[in-house]
Amino acid sequence: MNFDENEPQSVREERFAAERAAGRAARKAAKLDSWGAHIGAAIVTVALVLLTWYGNLVALGVVSGIFLLWFSVALTWAYADGDHGRHALQRAYNVTFGWGDGF
């Protein structure tokens, strides 16, 4: 978003709205690759199962709460960014568990 101080406010607002709409359309058209997110979710699931198996219920609550909070923030961010429905859920899932790409 470029800023021109001599530009009228109405023209600037229209230009900014068009730039935001173009960015939103590009994000919605992009294919979301969830392979790394699936790996990350599997690792978290195994960790949660192991915590449950060994009876570490406090650690289970902390770890699952952190990932739930992380997903909630990512979903809120996706909705605030203009995504809705399945695409917003996919973006939040990829943000939360996408670190699995490193494995």
PDB file of all heavy atoms in Angstrom, residues 75-99:
ATOM      1  N   LEU A  75      -7.679 -19.044  13.727  1.00  0.00           N
ATOM      2  CA  LEU A  75      -8.997 -19.003  13.090  1.00  0.00           C
ATOM      3  C   LEU A  75      -9.586 -17.603  13.156  1.00  0.00           C
ATOM      4  O   LEU A  75     -10.165 -17.112  12.180  1.00  0.00           O
ATOM      5  CB  LEU A  75      -9.931 -20.017  13.754  1.00  0.00           C
ATOM      6  CG  LEU A  75     -11.297 -20.196  13.114  1.00  0.00           C
ATOM      7  CD1 LEU A  75     -11.149 -20.690  11.677  1.00  0.00           C
ATOM      8  CD2 LEU A  75     -12.132 -21.187  13.922  1.00  0.00           C
ATOM      9  N   THR A  76      -9.419 -16.938  14.292  1.00  0.00           N
ATOM     10  CA  THR A  76      -9.894 -15.555  14.413  1.00  0.00           C
ATOM     11  C   THR A  76      -9.174 -14.655  13.428  1.00  0.00           C
ATOM     12  O   THR A  76      -9.783 -13.792  12.789  1.00  0.00           O
ATOM     13  CB  THR A  76      -9.681 -15.051  15.852  1.00  0.00           C
ATOM     14  OG1 THR A  76     -10.356 -15.930  16.748  1.00  0.00           O
ATOM     15  CG2 THR A  76     -10.192 -13.644  16.022  1.00  0.00           C
ATOM     16  N   TRP A  77      -7.872 -14.868  13.286  1.00  0.00           N
ATOM     17  CA  TRP A  77      -7.080 -14.079  12.346  1.00  0.00           C
ATOM     18  C   TRP A  77      -7.550 -14.326  10.917  1.00  0.00           C
ATOM     19  O   TRP A  77      -7.679 -13.393  10.116  1.00  0.00           O
ATOM     20  CB  TRP A  77      -5.618 -14.437  12.515  1.00  0.00           C
ATOM     21  CG  TRP A  77      -4.660 -13.762  11.588  1.00  0.00           C
ATOM     22  CD1 TRP A  77      -4.789 -12.529  11.001  1.00  0.00           C
ATOM     23  CD2 TRP A  77      -3.415 -14.269  11.126  1.00  0.00           C
ATOM     24  NE1 TRP A  77      -3.701 -12.259  10.228  1.00  0.00           N
ATOM     25  CE2 TRP A  77      -2.838 -13.310  10.280  1.00  0.00           C
ATOM     26  CE3 TRP A  77      -2.734 -15.453  11.360  1.00  0.00           C
ATOM     27  CZ2 TRP A  77      -1.622 -13.501   9.666  1.00  0.00           C
ATOM     28  CZ3 TRP A  77      -1.508 -15.635  10.740  1.00  0.00           C
ATOM     29  CH2 TRP A  77      -0.970 -14.665   9.914  1.00  0.00           C
ATOM     30  N   ALA A  78      -7.846 -15.572  10.564  1.00  0.00           N
ATOM     31  CA  ALA A  78      -8.310 -15.883   9.215  1.00  0.00           C
ATOM     32  C   ALA A  78      -9.666 -15.233   8.946  1.00  0.00           C
ATOM     33  O   ALA A  78      -9.892 -14.682   7.863  1.00  0.00           O
ATOM     34  CB  ALA A  78      -8.399 -17.398   9.026  1.00  0.00           C
ATOM     35  N   TYR A  79     -10.559 -15.272   9.924  1.00  0.00           N
ATOM     36  CA  TYR A  79     -11.859 -14.628   9.752  1.00  0.00           C
ATOM     37  C   TYR A  79     -11.720 -13.109   9.645  1.00  0.00           C
ATOM     38  O   TYR A  79     -12.378 -12.476   8.838  1.00  0.00           O
ATOM     39  CB  TYR A  79     -12.808 -14.977  10.901  1.00  0.00           C
ATOM     40  CG  TYR A  79     -13.614 -16.211  10.641  1.00  0.00           C
ATOM     41  CD1 TYR A  79     -13.222 -17.443  11.156  1.00  0.00           C
ATOM     42  CD2 TYR A  79     -14.770 -16.181   9.872  1.00  0.00           C
ATOM     43  CE1 TYR A  79     -13.947 -18.585  10.918  1.00  0.00           C
ATOM     44  CE2 TYR A  79     -15.505 -17.309   9.625  1.00  0.00           C
ATOM     45  CZ  TYR A  79     -15.096 -18.514  10.154  1.00  0.00           C
ATOM     46  OH  TYR A  79     -15.812 -19.645   9.907  1.00  0.00           O
ATOM     47  N   ALA A  80     -10.851 -12.526  10.444  1.00  0.00           N
ATOM     48  CA  ALA A  80     -10.637 -11.078  10.378  1.00  0.00           C
ATOM     49  C   ALA A  80     -10.000 -10.678   9.055  1.00  0.00           C
ATOM     50  O   ALA A  80     -10.192  -9.556   8.580  1.00  0.00           O
ATOM     51  CB  ALA A  80      -9.761 -10.629  11.537  1.00  0.00           C
ATOM     52  N   ASP A  81      -9.268 -11.596   8.449  1.00  0.00           N
ATOM     53  CA  ASP A  81      -8.601 -11.342   7.176  1.00  0.00           C
ATOM     54  C   ASP A  81      -9.553 -11.501   5.998  1.00  0.00           C
ATOM     55  O   ASP A  81      -9.180 -11.240   4.868  1.00  0.00           O
ATOM     56  CB  ASP A  81      -7.420 -12.299   7.041  1.00  0.00           C
ATOM     57  CG  ASP A  81      -6.379 -11.798   6.075  1.00  0.00           C
ATOM     58  OD1 ASP A  81      -6.255 -10.569   5.923  1.00  0.00           O
ATOM     59  OD2 ASP A  81      -5.685 -12.630   5.482  1.00  0.00           O
ATOM     60  N   GLY A  82     -10.765 -11.956   6.255  1.00  0.00           N
ATOM     61  CA  GLY A  82     -11.766 -12.041   5.203  1.00  0.00           C
ATOM     62  C   GLY A  82     -12.058 -13.449   4.724  1.00  0.00           C
ATOM     63  O   GLY A  82     -12.882 -13.629   3.831  1.00  0.00           O
ATOM     64  N   ASP A  83     -11.404 -14.446   5.271  1.00  0.00           N
ATOM     65  CA  ASP A  83     -11.695 -15.830   4.899  1.00  0.00           C
ATOM     66  C   ASP A  83     -12.859 -16.335   5.735  1.00  0.00           C
ATOM     67  O   ASP A  83     -13.009 -15.981   6.899  1.00  0.00           O
ATOM     68  CB  ASP A  83     -10.494 -16.732   5.157  1.00  0.00           C
ATOM     69  CG  ASP A  83      -9.529 -16.738   3.992  1.00  0.00           C
ATOM     70  OD1 ASP A  83      -9.904 -16.239   2.933  1.00  0.00           O
ATOM     71  OD2 ASP A  83      -8.415 -17.232   4.166  1.00  0.00           O
ATOM     72  N   HIS A  84     -13.662 -17.177   5.129  1.00  0.00           N
ATOM     73  CA  HIS A  84     -14.789 -17.768   5.845  1.00  0.00           C
ATOM     74  C   HIS A  84     -14.922 -19.221   5.425  1.00  0.00           C
ATOM     75  O   HIS A  84     -14.456 -19.623   4.368  1.00  0.00           O
ATOM     76  CB  HIS A  84     -16.089 -17.015   5.550  1.00  0.00           C
ATOM     77  CG  HIS A  84     -16.056 -15.590   6.006  1.00  0.00           C
ATOM     78  ND1 HIS A  84     -16.052 -15.228   7.330  1.00  0.00           N
ATOM     79  CD2 HIS A  84     -15.975 -14.438   5.308  1.00  0.00           C
ATOM     80  CE1 HIS A  84     -16.002 -13.917   7.426  1.00  0.00           C
ATOM     81  NE2 HIS A  84     -15.937 -13.410   6.203  1.00  0.00           N
ATOM     82  N   GLY A  85     -15.546 -20.000   6.273  1.00  0.00           N
ATOM     83  CA  GLY A  85     -15.837 -21.384   5.951  1.00  0.00           C
ATOM     84  C   GLY A  85     -14.621 -22.284   5.955  1.00  0.00           C
ATOM     85  O   GLY A  85     -13.711 -22.146   6.777  1.00  0.00           O
ATOM     86  N   ARG A  86     -14.608 -23.214   5.011  1.00  0.00           N
ATOM     87  CA  ARG A  86     -13.582 -24.251   4.959  1.00  0.00           C
ATOM     88  C   ARG A  86     -12.180 -23.678   4.759  1.00  0.00           C
ATOM     89  O   ARG A  86     -11.216 -24.172   5.325  1.00  0.00           O
ATOM     90  CB  ARG A  86     -13.937 -25.228   3.847  1.00  0.00           C
ATOM     91  CG  ARG A  86     -12.992 -26.384   3.745  1.00  0.00           C
ATOM     92  CD  ARG A  86     -13.417 -27.304   2.595  1.00  0.00           C
ATOM     93  NE  ARG A  86     -12.472 -28.379   2.451  1.00  0.00           N
ATOM     94  CZ  ARG A  86     -12.710 -29.613   2.817  1.00  0.00           C
ATOM     95  NH1 ARG A  86     -13.869 -29.918   3.371  1.00  0.00           N
ATOM     96  NH2 ARG A  86     -11.796 -30.545   2.640  1.00  0.00           N
ATOM     97  N   HIS A  87     -12.069 -22.652   3.942  1.00  0.00           N
ATOM     98  CA  HIS A  87     -10.748 -22.077   3.673  1.00  0.00           C
ATOM     99  C   HIS A  87     -10.164 -21.473   4.948  1.00  0.00           C
ATOM    100  O   HIS A  87      -8.954 -21.581   5.192  1.00  0.00           O
ATOM    101  CB  HIS A  87     -10.844 -21.025   2.563  1.00  0.00           C
ATOM    102  CG  HIS A  87      -9.532 -20.690   1.955  1.00  0.00           C
ATOM    103  ND1 HIS A  87      -8.787 -19.627   2.374  1.00  0.00           N
ATOM    104  CD2 HIS A  87      -8.825 -21.287   0.974  1.00  0.00           C
ATOM    105  CE1 HIS A  87      -7.676 -19.575   1.668  1.00  0.00           C
ATOM    106  NE2 HIS A  87      -7.678 -20.570   0.800  1.00  0.00           N
ATOM    107  N   ALA A  88     -10.982 -20.842   5.766  1.00  0.00           N
ATOM    108  CA  ALA A  88     -10.500 -20.283   7.036  1.00  0.00           C
ATOM    109  C   ALA A  88     -10.034 -21.396   7.971  1.00  0.00           C
ATOM    110  O   ALA A  88      -9.003 -21.262   8.638  1.00  0.00           O
ATOM    111  CB  ALA A  88     -11.596 -19.455   7.701  1.00  0.00           C
ATOM    112  N   LEU A  89     -10.777 -22.494   8.011  1.00  0.00           N
ATOM    113  CA  LEU A  89     -10.375 -23.630   8.845  1.00  0.00           C
ATOM    114  C   LEU A  89      -9.061 -24.234   8.349  1.00  0.00           C
ATOM    115  O   LEU A  89      -8.197 -24.597   9.152  1.00  0.00           O
ATOM    116  CB  LEU A  89     -11.469 -24.694   8.862  1.00  0.00           C
ATOM    117  CG  LEU A  89     -12.720 -24.346   9.655  1.00  0.00           C
ATOM    118  CD1 LEU A  89     -13.801 -25.389   9.420  1.00  0.00           C
ATOM    119  CD2 LEU A  89     -12.407 -24.215  11.123  1.00  0.00           C
ATOM    120  N   GLN A  90      -8.888 -24.338   7.049  1.00  0.00           N
ATOM    121  CA  GLN A  90      -7.650 -24.878   6.493  1.00  0.00           C
ATOM    122  C   GLN A  90      -6.470 -23.972   6.799  1.00  0.00           C
ATOM    123  O   GLN A  90      -5.386 -24.453   7.135  1.00  0.00           O
ATOM    124  CB  GLN A  90      -7.776 -25.071   4.985  1.00  0.00           C
ATOM    125  CG  GLN A  90      -8.637 -26.241   4.593  1.00  0.00           C
ATOM    126  CD  GLN A  90      -8.805 -26.349   3.091  1.00  0.00           C
ATOM    127  OE1 GLN A  90      -8.709 -25.359   2.370  1.00  0.00           O
ATOM    128  NE2 GLN A  90      -9.075 -27.558   2.620  1.00  0.00           N
ATOM    129  N   ARG A  91      -6.670 -22.669   6.689  1.00  0.00           N
ATOM    130  CA  ARG A  91      -5.582 -21.742   7.006  1.00  0.00           C
ATOM    131  C   ARG A  91      -5.198 -21.838   8.475  1.00  0.00           C
ATOM    132  O   ARG A  91      -4.019 -21.857   8.824  1.00  0.00           O
ATOM    133  CB  ARG A  91      -5.985 -20.304   6.683  1.00  0.00           C
ATOM    134  CG  ARG A  91      -5.815 -19.947   5.232  1.00  0.00           C
ATOM    135  CD  ARG A  91      -6.119 -18.508   4.968  1.00  0.00           C
ATOM    136  NE  ARG A  91      -5.192 -17.614   5.658  1.00  0.00           N
ATOM    137  CZ  ARG A  91      -5.386 -16.315   5.781  1.00  0.00           C
ATOM    138  NH1 ARG A  91      -6.473 -15.752   5.278  1.00  0.00           N
ATOM    139  NH2 ARG A  91      -4.514 -15.567   6.406  1.00  0.00           N
ATOM    140  N   ALA A  92      -6.190 -21.909   9.354  1.00  0.00           N
ATOM    141  CA  ALA A  92      -5.905 -22.011  10.788  1.00  0.00           C
ATOM    142  C   ALA A  92      -5.209 -23.333  11.106  1.00  0.00           C
ATOM    143  O   ALA A  92      -4.282 -23.379  11.917  1.00  0.00           O
ATOM    144  CB  ALA A  92      -7.194 -21.881  11.589  1.00  0.00           C
ATOM    145  N   TYR A  93      -5.630 -24.408  10.463  1.00  0.00           N
ATOM    146  CA  TYR A  93      -5.003 -25.721  10.650  1.00  0.00           C
ATOM    147  C   TYR A  93      -3.545 -25.685  10.200  1.00  0.00           C
ATOM    148  O   TYR A  93      -2.653 -26.186  10.894  1.00  0.00           O
ATOM    149  CB  TYR A  93      -5.804 -26.756   9.856  1.00  0.00           C
ATOM    150  CG  TYR A  93      -5.271 -28.168   9.909  1.00  0.00           C
ATOM    151  CD1 TYR A  93      -5.409 -28.944  11.045  1.00  0.00           C
ATOM    152  CD2 TYR A  93      -4.659 -28.733   8.797  1.00  0.00           C
ATOM    153  CE1 TYR A  93      -4.938 -30.247  11.088  1.00  0.00           C
ATOM    154  CE2 TYR A  93      -4.191 -30.029   8.822  1.00  0.00           C
ATOM    155  CZ  TYR A  93      -4.328 -30.787   9.971  1.00  0.00           C
ATOM    156  OH  TYR A  93      -3.868 -32.070  10.003  1.00  0.00           O
ATOM    157  N   ASN A  94      -3.296 -25.062   9.043  1.00  0.00           N
ATOM    158  CA  ASN A  94      -1.924 -24.964   8.540  1.00  0.00           C
ATOM    159  C   ASN A  94      -1.061 -24.078   9.426  1.00  0.00           C
ATOM    160  O   ASN A  94       0.120 -24.359   9.614  1.00  0.00           O
ATOM    161  CB  ASN A  94      -1.914 -24.436   7.109  1.00  0.00           C
ATOM    162  CG  ASN A  94      -2.344 -25.477   6.115  1.00  0.00           C
ATOM    163  OD1 ASN A  94      -2.412 -26.659   6.415  1.00  0.00           O
ATOM    164  ND2 ASN A  94      -2.664 -25.043   4.909  1.00  0.00           N
ATOM    165  N   VAL A  95      -1.621 -23.020   9.969  1.00  0.00           N
ATOM    166  CA  VAL A  95      -0.843 -22.155  10.860  1.00  0.00           C
ATOM    167  C   VAL A  95      -0.522 -22.883  12.162  1.00  0.00           C
ATOM    168  O   VAL A  95       0.579 -22.780  12.696  1.00  0.00           O
ATOM    169  CB  VAL A  95      -1.606 -20.837  11.134  1.00  0.00           C
ATOM    170  CG1 VAL A  95      -0.988 -20.066  12.272  1.00  0.00           C
ATOM    171  CG2 VAL A  95      -1.647 -19.979   9.884  1.00  0.00           C
ATOM    172  N   THR A  96      -1.483 -23.631  12.672  1.00  0.00           N
ATOM    173  CA  THR A  96      -1.297 -24.310  13.947  1.00  0.00           C
ATOM    174  C   THR A  96      -0.330 -25.485  13.857  1.00  0.00           C
ATOM    175  O   THR A  96       0.536 -25.651  14.712  1.00  0.00           O
ATOM    176  CB  THR A  96      -2.661 -24.792  14.497  1.00  0.00           C
ATOM    177  OG1 THR A  96      -3.544 -23.679  14.570  1.00  0.00           O
ATOM    178  CG2 THR A  96      -2.502 -25.400  15.874  1.00  0.00           C
ATOM    179  N   PHE A  97      -0.484 -26.296  12.832  1.00  0.00           N
ATOM    180  CA  PHE A  97       0.298 -27.531  12.761  1.00  0.00           C
ATOM    181  C   PHE A  97       1.287 -27.559  11.596  1.00  0.00           C
ATOM    182  O   PHE A  97       1.935 -28.572  11.366  1.00  0.00           O
ATOM    183  CB  PHE A  97      -0.636 -28.738  12.639  1.00  0.00           C
ATOM    184  CG  PHE A  97      -1.559 -28.892  13.794  1.00  0.00           C
ATOM    185  CD1 PHE A  97      -2.913 -28.633  13.668  1.00  0.00           C
ATOM    186  CD2 PHE A  97      -1.070 -29.288  15.025  1.00  0.00           C
ATOM    187  CE1 PHE A  97      -3.757 -28.786  14.749  1.00  0.00           C
ATOM    188  CE2 PHE A  97      -1.921 -29.447  16.105  1.00  0.00           C
ATOM    189  CZ  PHE A  97      -3.271 -29.187  15.972  1.00  0.00           C
ATOM    190  N   GLY A  98       1.421 -26.487  10.872  1.00  0.00           N
ATOM    191  CA  GLY A  98       2.272 -26.455   9.692  1.00  0.00           C
ATOM    192  C   GLY A  98       3.747 -26.604   9.971  1.00  0.00           C
ATOM    193  O   GLY A  98       4.538 -26.813   9.057  1.00  0.00           O
ATOM    194  N   TRP A  99       4.150 -26.507  11.214  1.00  0.00           N
ATOM    195  CA  TRP A  99       5.563 -26.676  11.573  1.00  0.00           C
ATOM    196  C   TRP A  99       6.032 -28.100  11.296  1.00  0.00           C
ATOM    197  O   TRP A  99       7.229 -28.373  11.308  1.00  0.00           O
ATOM    198  CB  TRP A  99       5.784 -26.321  13.041  1.00  0.00           C
ATOM    199  CG  TRP A  99       4.826 -26.971  13.974  1.00  0.00           C
ATOM    200  CD1 TRP A  99       3.680 -26.439  14.461  1.00  0.00           C
ATOM    201  CD2 TRP A  99       4.920 -28.289  14.528  1.00  0.00           C
ATOM    202  NE1 TRP A  99       3.035 -27.349  15.268  1.00  0.00           N
ATOM    203  CE2 TRP A  99       3.788 -28.488  15.335  1.00  0.00           C
ATOM    204  CE3 TRP A  99       5.846 -29.307  14.414  1.00  0.00           C
ATOM    205  CZ2 TRP A  99       3.556 -29.663  16.015  1.00  0.00           C
ATOM    206  CZ3 TRP A  99       5.613 -30.491  15.094  1.00  0.00           C
ATOM    207  CH2 TRP A  99       4.475 -30.651  15.890  1.00  0.00           C
TER     208      TRP A  99
END
